[in-house]
Amino acid sequence: MPTRRELANAIRALAMDAVQKAKSGHPGAPMGMADIAEVLYNDFMKHNPANPKWVDRDRFIMSNGHGSMLPYAVLHLTGYDVSIEDLKNFRQLHSKTPGHPEYGYTPGIETTTGPLGQGLTNAVGMAIAERTLAAHFNRPGHEIVDHYTYVFLGDGCLMEGISHEACSLAGTLGLGKLIFIYDDNGISIDGEVEGWFTDDTPKRFEAYGWHVVPKVDGHDPEAIKAALEEARSVTDKPSIICAQTIIGFGSPNKAGKEECHGAPLGEDEIELARKELGWPYPPFEIPKEIYEAWDARDKGARAEAAWQEKFAAYRAEYPELAAEFERRMADELVEGWADKADAFIRSVAEKKENIATRKASQNAIEGLAPFTDFLGGSADLAGSNLTIWSGAKPIRKDNPDGNYINYGVREFGMTAIINGLVLHGGFVSYGGTFLIFSDYARNALRMAALMKLRNIEVFTHDSIGLGEDGPTHQPVEQVPSLRLIPNMSVWRPCDAVETAVAWKMAVLRKDGPTSLVLSRQGLPHQERSDEQIALIERGGYVLKDCDGRPDVILIATGSEVALAMEAAAAVTDKKVRVVSMPSADVFEAQDAGYRESVLPSDVTARVAVEAAATGFWYKYVGTRGAVIGIDRFGESAPAGELFKEFGFTVDNVVAAINRVA
């Protein structure tokens, strides 16, 4: 029977070999954390390599994602569909083993990590999801939701500000099944961290309300096992194990130094490391007895079978709850969801309300919530974002049976936590903040788009229309910058009807995030036919048409649609078409024939109107067109005065029409 050190050395050898073959990568962290990974996976992890999506599996997150060869090696050794050829293909085009762990590429990888601090924050979301689902579905004697979330993290993760946002909230919520293992090796890219990171990490986490296991020898399997047992015994707060390790453990000349952090060790050093570790095997060769000791397939199959027996008993006693649990974990909406949403949209159209789109958004949440599995929240702006509804129940440490999270002033943390909620499954999750603070959340938004996650973000106070708070709070470049994120869907609706449709499309969209960009100020209802209401789903449509070929086309979004309609009515000597384009990305995904029917290519006289930076719209209006927008920062004044100051007036739009046509 191989020793624990020999099992851990298999990780080290595979990490050294794969990084060397790729001629790039990070061998230091996998070599330093190999002993911890061996104990975690062989003694504690509940997982099934044959079914990486088993709903009650433990989740493992490599937050210091540059150490990706550690999870890849472990997944290979334990029996996942990650072959030795996949490891040899590390960091190569279209491989299962990209440079950083990527969700959807590799079986068993729970989230995409690499931007430091976000993996641990995703894990907070997963732990919230586990605890909340347990409160929703578990019954006495029937614990069908009962799993842990384990996180490996390094100094870099703890230096990132998002770690404070996430860990503070995790402590406040008492997430007892969240366990961090901190790779306390004292080294980052620039060298020994004592020159720039001297935090007392145990005291920091104690202050957050965490259970702390300090000064654990990260190369002593028995000490690691005892620390994990201690952490698992504490059920009312999350735990962090501070494991003191040597980066690049086993490398005679580079261990403990920054040289092994982000570069191959080199053939000569690898040969020396093999001797140091007592690993006599050639590159990518793992002895049969090592494979057999690591193999988790039988153990995993038994664990899932035992859970299936538990779930069968649960189903017998609680058939409706069991069916609901299965539906939600399969990420399926209730039967007839789209029809129910359409009925709500029709009711909104009938009301003809002149309201702010942030209020229309709240009405949409209220209308959809009875048949939607919402887990909502806001970054301390519920009363401004209007993200809360009558059935909202805030989640608290002593009452996890809720559906609303008060994230506090933690925009970045909120967004990455929502990514974790979505990755875990069981909810339709959304958050809210002012549009200007999408900048704080931007990298988590990008990660949602990269992972194709249904993360719905409610961004209110969408322009200079917020008024007196001034340029610090008035978004100018944020809408076009959100549109630049690949796979991000951006909706800027003009009234309550478009807002309701935007919510419908956001919930139905399962392959990416949606940003809902909403006004603070009231906006007028726009009259539409049933056909026009149906066309809103196509992202852009003709709101007001003329007889025959138009002389000029006005394109507008959000609060400026009403302005475009007024300007069109004021023009008597030209035929004007008004196009409302609440979602340019959705419009651009339509077939060419539909796009041509809305924006005929032979009508080159075009004016776009949006209270944001202008650059995006030139692909629609061309060199002969005009864009009325704002390419400078705003001012502090009442909203009505600001719109006049920056040229958002009927007269200015009419003048632009006359210039281009």
Side-chain angles (χ1 to χ4, degrees), residues 259-283:
E259 286 94 331
C260 67
H261 169 85
L265 297 182
E267 297 287 358
D268 292 343
E269 185 68 13
I270 289 174
E271 192 61 34
L272 292 172
R274 279 184 152 77
K275 292 177 182 177
E276 179 79 11
L277 295 168
W279 186 264
Y281 313 104

Side-chain angles (χ1 to χ4, degrees), residues 241-542:
I241 297 167
C242 299
Q244 296 177 318
T245 66
I246 299 171
I247 190 172
F249 181 93
S251 171
N253 298 302
K254 296 186 178 182
K257 300 176 182 178
E258 65 270 21
E259 286 94 331
C260 67
H261 169 85
L265 297 182
E267 297 287 358
D268 292 343
E269 185 68 13
I270 289 174
E271 192 61 34
L272 292 172
R274 279 184 152 77
K275 292 177 182 177
E276 179 79 11
L277 295 168
W279 186 264
Y281 313 104
F284 295 105
E285 182 177 311
I286 304 295
K288 180 181 177 182
E289 61 271 20
I290 298 286
Y291 272 128
E292 290 174 347
W294 268 106
D295 193 340
R297 286 172 291 188
D298 288 346
K299 180 180 176 183
R302 291 194 301 271
E304 183 172 356
W307 181 85
Q308 292 289 358
E309 287 184 17
K310 286 171 54 176
F311 192 74
Y314 179 79
R315 187 198 306 279
E317 190 164 348
Y318 302 101
E320 292 183 2
L321 277 176
E324 177 80 356
F325 179 77
E326 288 183 309
R327 176 188 65 78
R328 286 174 58 174
M329 294 311 294
D331 194 24
E332 296 175 357
L333 299 172
V334 299
E335 187 176 352
W337 189 93
D339 292 337
K340 295 174 188 286
D342 286 341
F344 169 72
I345 291 166
R346 287 194 295 273
S347 72
V348 171
E350 290 168 1
K351 290 179 182 177
K352 302 182 179 182
E353 291 182 299
N354 300 328
I355 56 176
T357 51
R358 63 169 176 162
K359 178 60 180 175
S361 171
Q362 184 180 46
N363 293 345
I365 297 170
E366 187 79 41
L368 299 177
F371 51 91
T372 308
D373 311 306
F374 281 139
L375 179 52
S378 175
D380 201 47
L381 289 168
S384 295
N385 300 146
L386 303 183
T387 50
I388 206 159
W389 73 101
S390 62
K393 295 188 295 181
I395 292 170
R396 296 289 186 263
K397 179 177 182 177
D398 57 356
N399 183 20
D401 187 15
N403 56 17
Y404 192 85
I405 301 172
N406 295 102
Y407 285 101
V409 187
R410 302 180 177 100
E411 296 89 355
F412 192 6
M414 172 185 71
T415 310
I417 286 170
I418 293 171
N419 288 346
L421 293 170
V422 178
L423 287 161
H424 182 282
F427 302 97
V428 176
S429 299
Y430 70 84
T433 187
F434 291 166
L435 176 61
I436 194 71
F437 302 132
S438 65
D439 284 348
Y440 282 159
R442 186 174 180 86
N443 202 263
L445 294 170
R446 184 178 186 274
M447 296 297 281
L450 182 64
M451 290 189 275
K452 302 179 180 179
L453 304 181
R454 181 176 54 198
N455 178 336
I456 303 172
E457 292 293 333
V458 177
F459 292 131
T460 68
H461 297 60
D462 71 341
S463 71
I464 56 173
L466 70 86
E468 292 87 344
D469 278 347
T472 61
H473 283 54
Q474 291 167 4
V476 175
E477 75 277 21
Q478 280 68 26
V479 173
S481 73
L482 288 171
R483 291 183 180 129
L484 289 173
I485 300 175
N487 198 39
M488 171 64 72
S489 191
V490 180
W491 285 80
R492 187 170 184 249
C494 76
D495 67 359
V497 179
E498 286 191 357
T499 304
V501 173
W503 262 104
K504 174 190 172 183
M505 300 302 286
V507 173
L508 287 176
R509 185 174 193 237
K510 292 186 177 182
D511 61 351
T514 300
S515 294
L516 302 175
V517 178
L518 307 167
S519 74
R520 174 183 183 267
Q521 72 275 23
L523 303 179
H525 168 77
Q526 300 296 331
E527 289 292 340
R528 300 174 185 83
S529 65
D530 290 344
E531 180 183 8
Q532 285 175 307
I533 292 174
L535 290 175
I536 296 171
E537 293 187 8
R538 305 191 78 166
Y541 64 101
V542 178

